[in-house]
């Protein structure tokens, strides 16, 4: 905070959320987070999955949220968990560079056709705007399947 507002000092004691205490199942940045496409998930810079810790059948886990973002998204994704049965987050930063067209197609199929999110949130910081049209074009191609 002090870098944005000189003279304001608000230390943050916790650097990572306590998911267990919040009764949230969290899997972050590991291929096993997405057994539906582990190879592609392992290649992404950020791919995370959060859900409340209860035993409803998968088909009844509603509503569902997918967050497509730049690297900023990993910081906001866990905060949506109390309001959604399941939250999936993916950084779009390295999507075109790291995944093959076949991996992108399979990932898109799982996310949109099988998981069937109720809401898709595209979140990005001003840095993505500075990258120009390339970042937004990557997201557009992924969402539309082009």
């Amino acid at each position: 905070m002090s870098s944005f507002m000189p003279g304001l000092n608000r230390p943050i004691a916790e650097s990572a959320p306590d998911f267990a205490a919040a009764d949230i199942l969290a899997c972050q940045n590991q291929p096993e987070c997405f057994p539906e496409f582990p190879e592609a998930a392992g290649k992404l810079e950020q791919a995370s999955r959060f859900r409340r810790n209860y035993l409803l059948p998968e088909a009844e886990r509603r509503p569902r949220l997918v967050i497509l973002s730049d690297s900023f998204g990993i910081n906001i994704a866990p905060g949506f968990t109390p309001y959604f049965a399941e939250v999936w987050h993916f950084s779009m930063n390295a999507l075109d560079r790291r995944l093959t067209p076949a991996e992108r197609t399979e990932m898109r199929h799982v996310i949109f056709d099988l998981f069937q999110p109720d809401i898709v949130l595209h979140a990005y910081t001003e840095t993505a705007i500075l990258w120009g049209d390339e970042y937004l074009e990557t997201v557009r191609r992924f969402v539309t399947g082009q």
Side-chain angles (χ1 to χ4, degrees), residues 71-124:
S71 60
F72 163 74
I74 190 60
N75 296 312
I76 66 168
F80 285 97
T81 306
Y83 309 101
F84 291 87
E86 195 156 355
V87 176
W88 288 10
H89 165 257
F90 304 97
S91 171
M92 300 281 102
N93 288 0
L95 190 76
D96 279 352
R97 291 188 319 270
R98 295 190 177 190
L99 301 186
T100 67
E103 288 170 330
R104 287 192 304 269
T105 298
E106 178 61 19
M107 185 176 153
R108 186 188 182 291
H109 169 67
V110 170
I111 292 171
F112 296 110
D113 299 331
L114 301 181
F115 183 62
Q116 298 179 342
D118 297 287
I119 295 176
V120 176
L121 174 64
H122 180 210
Y124 57 92

Side-chain angles (χ1 to χ4, degrees), residues 23-133:
D23 207 26
I24 293 173
L25 299 176
C27 187
Q28 296 177 286
N29 307 325
Q30 300 172 2
E32 53 271 11
C33 295
F34 291 94
E36 301 89 347
F37 47 87
E39 189 170 324
K43 291 180 179 180
L44 293 175
E45 289 176 350
Q46 296 175 347
S48 303
R49 187 179 205 148
F50 307 92
R51 73 176 173 89
R52 288 175 267 162
N53 189 17
Y54 57 83
L55 297 176
L56 281 178
E58 186 175 343
E60 295 177 30
R61 293 183 197 152
R62 292 285 181 188
R64 298 175 183 168
L65 171 67
V66 166
I67 301 172
L68 305 176
S69 74
D70 58 8
S71 60
F72 163 74
I74 190 60
N75 296 312
I76 66 168
F80 285 97
T81 306
Y83 309 101
F84 291 87
E86 195 156 355
V87 176
W88 288 10
H89 165 257
F90 304 97
S91 171
M92 300 281 102
N93 288 0
L95 190 76
D96 279 352
R97 291 188 319 270
R98 295 190 177 190
L99 301 186
T100 67
E103 288 170 330
R104 287 192 304 269
T105 298
E106 178 61 19
M107 185 176 153
R108 186 188 182 291
H109 169 67
V110 170
I111 292 171
F112 296 110
D113 299 331
L114 301 181
F115 183 62
Q116 298 179 342
D118 297 287
I119 295 176
V120 176
L121 174 64
H122 180 210
Y124 57 92
T125 62
E126 73 284 354
T127 305
I129 295 170
L130 296 175
W131 290 338
D133 294 336

